[in-house]
Amino acid sequence: MEKKLQELKTRLLEIDDLNKANAMLIWDQSTYMPEGGAQARGRHSATLARLAQEKFVDPAIGRLLDELQPYAESLPYDSDDASLIRVTRREYERATRIPPKFIGELYEHQAKAYQVWTEARPANDFSRIQPLLEKTLDYSRQMADYFPGYDHIIDPLIDFADYGMKASSISALFAELRRELMPLVQVITSQPPADDSCLRKHYPEAEQMAISKKIAAILGYDFKRGRLDLTHHPFEINFSVGDVRITTRVKENLLGECLYSVIHEAGHAMYEQGVDPKLEGTPMCGGTSAGVHESQSRLWENIVGRSLEFTEFFYPRLQKAFPSQLGDTPLETFYRAINKVERSLIRTDADEVTYNLHVMLRFEFEMALLEGQLSVRDLPEAWRERYRQDIGILPPDDKDGVLQDVHWYAGVIGGSFQGYTLGNILSALFYQAALRAHPEIPSEIRRGKFDKLHNWLIENIYRHGSKFTADELVQRVDGGKIRVGPYIQYLKTKYGQLYTL
Ligand code: ZN
């Protein structure tokens, strides 16, 4: 057994090396690579991805997993070895069900769709991408059908991002959340909007980067095992537990953009930096699902970063960094500005209260498209109508309507969006559990101390990597099931102090 386990680990490590080398190419492509490198870089990346995939679907891995199964069953469920075999088997079975020929075709199609989207969006021309999106829908259905026996056709696609969640369970959570959010948005937006002009002054890039970096370090992001660079679309990427990097972008006429996106990405990165180094080089080294990952970025960005306690600690420092811009702005004004609620068009710019409405309608469109209830041709009109109904704003064009997110144009339709809202729901649930263990956390945040919260997260969530599914993690941490109650309570308490509810 020992020998077989070692062989499995050796093979997985080699696959991980290929994947991480590819990650480095992707990081470089998104940060420092000169424009001229794009074409060859696409090829380099594709070759590494193919080699890693070929090594992973090798029948020898299937045999090793079969032979190790009795050993896994003799061990406690949460032991490292049993978990390694369980998690690897899950991924192996998923990877081997999809024929390599299909993957090759899909990748080629996705690259083309993405290319056309980059032109169609600025041109505000949905008809240019429509035939390709129709093909993406076909591919997405075909992909789901490699996993027969599902309750809803979207379920296998959800599994890729949020393993174990289903259309039925997510729809129930989302319906409850929507029922609570719609009147909340109504009540808040009928009141005078917050004045956020203090954020819309000139804030030089170098100073924004310096203070963002400082804040990320104070929160607990370890710069000895990471770094911060500039990019177009902020992201976090890990090469090992010892090297987890983040990126951001700066708008010199908008203060919040860089700062809160650094806190967001640092939240993702602290999760990856907190994984037990023993899991390095295995499929368990990394966050367990899109939802749990997003719960950590959102916990740090919103629940901590946009809280009154954190603002009380951090705002005087921010004023010192920007004396001419913020010197005369009271804390209360700044706090209201960073928590401004408004009906808006763009998901990624949306505030905490309206954000989930943007996500939920996308999730419902994915289901309707996959079911065949909605055609790609009718999608732009359906999009406008849903924005009018749910967000209370009519998109003036497709550019900032149905064409705004890259997900469907570079991936598949199904499973791409639910993780954002699951992340919000989970962020409050986990934070509530942390407060039960350490009620002093908010007063520590006010004093600029974050280690109690950070250590609780490492101990209960981060160190496990993807040993446990999201459901298992919630069960262990909270004793119950994923539910929206704590998140709704969080929003009502916070926004009840900012607005008259
Ligand atoms: Zn994120």
Side-chain angles (χ1 to χ4, degrees), residues 264-265 268 294 297:
H264 180 101
E265 300 307 332
H268 281 301
E294 199 65 9
S297 55

Side-chain angles (χ1 to χ4, degrees), residues 96-341:
T96 49
R97 288 231 190 152
I98 308 171
K101 186 170 167 282
F102 174 82
I103 300 209
E105 275 177 39
L106 176 64
Y107 281 174
E108 208 174 301
H109 167 73
Q110 284 169 336
K112 198 162 125 201
Y114 174 72
Q115 183 53 41
V116 173
W117 173 75
T118 59
E119 294 155 15
R121 188 182 178 209
N124 188 34
D125 186 359
F126 181 78
S127 69
R128 245 156 97 183
I129 189 80
Q130 187 189 315
L132 289 162
L133 195 60
E134 280 164 353
K135 218 165 159 197
T136 302
L137 182 59
D138 289 341
Y139 278 121
S140 308
R141 289 200 182 110
Q142 220 175 314
M143 177 96 109
D145 286 334
Y146 288 123
F147 303 85
Y150 49 71
D151 295 330
H152 189 286
I153 185 168
I154 202 173
D155 289 351
L157 304 171
I158 292 172
D159 265 351
F160 281 94
D162 289 289
Y163 179 78
M165 301 294 294
K166 299 212 172 318
S168 52
S169 52
I170 295 172
S171 297
L173 287 171
F174 284 10
E176 188 186 347
L177 184 57
R178 190 162 178 274
R179 254 197 321 274
E180 296 280 349
L181 284 177
M182 294 290 280
L184 195 61
V185 172
Q186 186 60 42
V187 169
I188 292 176
T189 54
S190 65
Q191 295 169 47
D195 171 14
D196 63 353
S197 56
C198 64
L199 306 176
R200 298 172 186 281
K201 296 176 179 176
H202 182 73
Y203 292 94
E205 179 177 306
E207 279 90 336
Q208 285 202 51
M209 284 296 274
I211 187 115
S212 301
K213 219 170 157 175
K214 210 178 276 174
I215 289 299
I218 290 173
L219 291 174
Y221 175 64
D222 181 359
F223 275 94
K224 286 202 201 74
R225 298 186 290 138
R227 52 178 292 135
L228 171 65
D229 295 272
L230 286 168
T231 188
H232 290 298
H233 299 283
F235 64 93
E236 168 270 330
I237 192 162
N238 93 73
F239 312 105
S240 66
V241 176
D243 187 355
V244 184
R245 303 184 189 184
I246 56 176
T247 60
T248 189
R249 64 179 159 203
V250 180
K251 285 188 186 151
E252 292 203 313
N253 57 359
L254 186 62
L255 180 60
E257 175 91 10
C258 170
L259 182 66
Y260 291 98
S261 106
V262 167
I263 300 179
H264 180 101
E265 300 307 332
H268 281 301
M270 284 192 264
Y271 187 4
E272 306 271 343
Q273 286 185 333
V275 175
D276 186 340
K278 278 195 307 210
L279 305 183
E280 184 103 271
T282 77
M284 289 187 290
C285 191
T288 191
S289 71
V292 176
H293 231 303
E294 199 65 9
S295 79
Q296 295 315 300
S297 55
R298 292 256 151 186
L299 188 153
W300 288 103
E301 179 195 350
N302 288 334
I303 297 185
V304 175
R306 291 181 208 267
S307 69
L308 185 58
E309 290 85 359
F310 179 73
T311 308
E312 283 172 3
F313 156 70
F314 144 80
Y315 187 60
R317 285 162 179 77
L318 195 65
Q319 282 180 307
K320 215 177 267 176
F322 300 109
S324 66
Q325 297 93 327
L326 291 174
D328 295 332
T329 305
L331 184 144
E332 166 77 13
T333 307
F334 178 80
Y335 177 61
R336 293 183 73 88
I338 57 167
N339 289 296
K340 180 179 183 176
V341 177

Side-chain angles (χ1 to χ4, degrees), residues 390-430:
D390 279 22
I391 319 274
I393 189 169
L394 189 68
D397 53 30
D398 291 336
K399 178 168 154 293
D400 289 334
V402 69
L403 289 170
Q404 68 178 269
D405 295 301
V406 65
H407 305 56
W408 294 336
Y409 307 104
V412 294
I413 295 174
S416 343
F417 288 103
Q418 77 285 329
Y420 296 115
T421 284
L422 290 173
N424 283 326
I425 293 170
L426 288 169
S427 68
L429 191 144
F430 288 142

Side-chain angles (χ1 to χ4, degrees), residues 74-89:
S74 75
L75 297 170
Y77 184 83
D78 62 354
S79 71
D80 288 350
D81 285 351
S83 302
L84 173 73
I85 295 162
R86 181 178 67 247
V87 172
T88 307
R89 174 177 290 282

